[in-house]
Amino acid sequence: MKNLFGTDGLRGIYGDDLTDELAYRLGLALGELYGPSLFVVGHDTRESAEPLQKAIVKGLLEKGAKVKLAGVLPTPAVAMITKILNCFGIVISASHNPYQYNGIKILRFGFKLPDEEERKIELVMETVSAGVEKGFAEFDPHLRELYIEALLKSFHGLDLSGLRIAVDLANGAAIMTTPEVLNALGANVTCFSKEPNGKNINENCGSQHPEFLAQHMKGFDLGILHDGDADRCILLGENAEEIHGDKIMGVVAIQMKREGRLRNDMVVATIMSNKGLEDYLLDRGIKLTRVKVGDRYVLEGMQRFGASFGGERSGHIIFLDRSTTGDGLITALEFLRLMLSMNRAAAELSREVEDYPQLLLNVPVEDKSVAEHPALKREIEKYLGRFRIVVRASGTERLVRVMVEGKDETEVKKVAEELCGLISELDRG
């Protein structure tokens, strides 16, 4: 069996790379390894979520597991619930990907399982046999309340009265949590992309498509954009300008340092974060440490270096003193705290962090290993020094991602397009 787990659990096109049979065998393996443990299962709004849940729960029950079904719920909500209840969690979601994709993430006590444990699960999936249903499963509507109450307690004293906030829910899992929390804190909330139909998750909306909410920002103080499972957050200022993860991390890190929350005066980011963020933090006595792309690697870096804060330009940001994983709602609430405490508008805060010209392009490929082709590496070496270049295979899609960063926007575009053309040529053979 090939390695099934990627950087973010099992991920693939439903019915192709990811099937009900695979989910069933995963359920059997988890039940075989972890016996009568409690599993909390949540999912996003994709049409494939229900059949995948049915399959994985069937396997769990045949091995005697206890299962609580949370229904539609963000990944970070399930993570927090598993920490509160000291149990396992399963999230059926493909995050920011189109509806044709889905995925299965395994959590324990708030954290994703380490690589070596995922390998062990894969080995058991190869040999595990069916059982006789002896566990039990039930829908528990109170699980959602556990998460909402925990967040409101964590942000006790935050008063959003008078703020007009637009929220793009990406037709995803955030419909169950973000509006309720913001309303409870006193905000005047208007929601967009709030009617999932199984196929419209992330479709021309949410954090992947900020241009949609940008058309509706007149009269709002802040725009909040989630992805399908609400672990990401991108913001829009009052004039509809995008405030991505680098800008959020920059200004929030300064606030955390003032509050004594920024352990070791360090922010952990990935190789995709802009050098503008790095320079901004360095000027204020904060070190930026880079890791590989993926929230898993950000968290590992935070734990390794003793940091309490880190994240990705894509808006997946981890506040380790508040949660064990990236949480788009927590990110939004932290930024709102900053706006109120500094009495400054979102756009004004955003402008503090300079963004050097950077272009990220995706190249569809048949063979993702082309990202490591010697000819491509030789071409990249020609540009090093004048540009910061990152070429990597996507962990979830058949794409090679090309990021080029430099001081001149025209030259950045030219180099990025040349590299994309070479990748396509090499992929065709």
Side-chain angles (χ1 to χ4, degrees):
M1 180 182 288
K2 65 176 182 178
N3 288 349
L4 299 173
F5 287 88
T7 57
D8 203 15
L10 280 74
R11 186 75 65 87
I13 296 174
Y14 179 63
D16 183 1
D17 313 275
L18 184 62
T19 63
D20 294 345
E21 174 62 23
L22 190 66
Y24 168 64
R25 294 198 67 78
L26 176 59
L28 287 173
L30 292 172
E32 182 85 3
L33 284 168
Y34 307 115
S37 299
L38 173 64
F39 288 81
V40 170
V41 183
H43 58 82
D44 66 21
T45 57
R46 292 161 213 271
E47 62 182 10
S48 57
E50 290 286 353
L52 284 169
Q53 176 177 271
K54 183 178 179 181
I56 199 168
V57 169
K58 182 176 188 293
L60 285 167
L61 297 184
E62 287 184 11
K63 296 295 181 178
K66 299 185 287 289
V67 179
K68 284 184 178 287
L69 304 174
V72 173
L73 211 57
T75 293
V78 176
M80 189 173 289
I81 290 165
T82 66
K83 185 180 180 183
I84 293 170
L85 299 181
N86 290 313
C87 68
F88 284 86
I90 297 173
V91 182
I92 301 168
S93 172
S95 190
H96 61 285
N97 291 150
Y99 86 93
Q100 295 93 336
Y101 287 81
N102 215 327
I104 303 173
K105 309 175 192 183
I106 314 300
L107 305 161
R108 180 175 55 204
F109 313 148
F111 295 97
K112 294 174 183 176
L113 299 182
D115 290 346
E116 59 271 18
E117 200 159 350
E118 290 181 341
R119 298 288 88 80
K120 185 177 178 182
I121 293 169
E122 289 176 355
L123 291 173
V124 175
M125 287 174 68
E126 288 190 55
T127 58
V128 69
S129 58
V132 179
E133 187 165 325
K134 51 187 176 181
F136 76 90
E138 62 178 357
F139 173 69
D140 186 346
H142 301 297
L143 294 172
R144 185 178 74 97
E145 298 306 318
L146 274 181
Y147 170 71
I148 290 173
E149 289 168 9
L151 243 61
L152 292 176
K153 182 179 179 181
S154 183
F155 285 90
H156 176 71
L158 177 61
D159 184 1
L160 303 181
S161 300
L163 286 178
R164 292 199 64 210
I165 301 174
V167 184
D168 188 335
L169 299 166
N171 294 311
I175 60 171
M176 302 303 294
T177 50
T178 292
E180 186 167 338
V181 170
L182 291 173
N183 280 313
L185 292 172
N188 183 341
V189 183
T190 302
C191 293
F192 298 85
S193 311
K194 60 182 180 178
E195 298 178 356
N197 61 17
K199 293 184 178 182
N200 61 359
I201 189 169
N202 300 313
E203 184 180 29
N204 299 318
C205 61
S207 62
Q208 298 299 101
H209 297 279
E211 67 277 3
F212 168 72
L213 189 62
Q215 301 171 26
H216 304 280
M217 279 300 296
K218 187 175 182 180
F220 290 103
D221 299 298
L222 188 71
I224 299 171
L225 303 93
H226 289 305
D227 62 338
D229 69 338
D231 58 1
R232 296 188 185 197
C233 171
I234 293 294
L235 302 172
L236 294 180
E238 61 277 14
N239 297 319
E241 62 276 40
E242 181 181 342
I243 308 173
H244 52 65
D246 282 353
K247 288 178 172 284
I248 296 170
M249 286 190 288
V251 292
V252 170
I254 307 306
Q255 171 89 341
M256 292 179 70
K257 183 177 180 178
R258 282 195 294 264
E259 295 173 344
R261 295 170 56 202
L262 193 70
R263 262 191 274 151
N264 291 326
D265 286 342
M266 178 186 291
V267 174
V268 176
T270 76
I271 54 176
M272 302 304 287
S273 277
N274 196 283
K275 196 173 185 301
L277 169 64
E278 187 171 1
D279 291 347
Y280 174 82
L281 293 174
L282 193 61
D283 288 345
R284 290 155 180 79
I286 298 172
K287 180 182 179 182
L288 182 77
T289 299
R290 295 182 186 271
V291 296
K292 290 191 296 185
V293 172
D295 65 289
R296 161 191 298 268
Y297 302 115
V298 172
L299 179 59
E300 286 177 2
M302 291 168 67
Q303 293 170 324
R304 184 164 68 250
F305 299 115
S308 57
F309 183 52
E312 299 185 272
R313 185 179 175 89
S314 62
H316 196 135
I317 299 174
I318 303 173
F319 296 82
L320 209 48
D321 60 345
R322 295 203 188 270
S323 184
T324 54
T325 189
D327 187 322
L329 179 50
I330 287 177
T331 300
L333 293 174
E334 285 282 5
F335 193 88
L336 285 161
R337 275 185 73 242
L338 178 62
M339 286 175 60
L340 292 171
S341 67
M342 301 293 291
N343 193 28
R344 295 173 69 185
E348 184 185 356
L349 287 169
S350 171
R351 283 192 291 270
E352 283 200 3
V353 183
E354 186 179 357
D355 226 5
Y356 299 158
Q358 183 188 86
L359 184 61
L360 175 62
L361 298 176
N362 294 322
V363 186
V365 294
E366 289 299 319
D367 182 2
K368 292 193 289 185
S369 70
V370 71
E372 301 298 323
H373 198 287
L376 178 60
K377 291 189 173 184
R378 287 194 297 271
E379 188 67 18
I380 291 171
E381 285 173 5
K382 296 179 184 177
Y383 298 112
L384 296 183
R386 291 190 300 130
F387 302 91
R388 196 169 71 86
I389 298 173
V390 178
V391 175
R392 67 179 186 90
S394 167
T396 58
E397 299 174 86
R398 291 170 186 161
L399 299 171
V400 170
R401 306 193 193 280
V402 176
M403 189 280 286
V404 179
E405 184 180 290
K407 293 184 178 180
D408 184 279
E409 190 170 359
T410 302
E411 288 189 355
V412 164
K413 185 172 185 289
K414 180 182 176 184
V415 171
E417 289 175 348
E418 285 179 3
L419 292 175
C420 288
L422 178 57
I423 290 167
S424 295
E425 184 182 323
L426 292 171
D427 183 55
R428 291 192 297 268

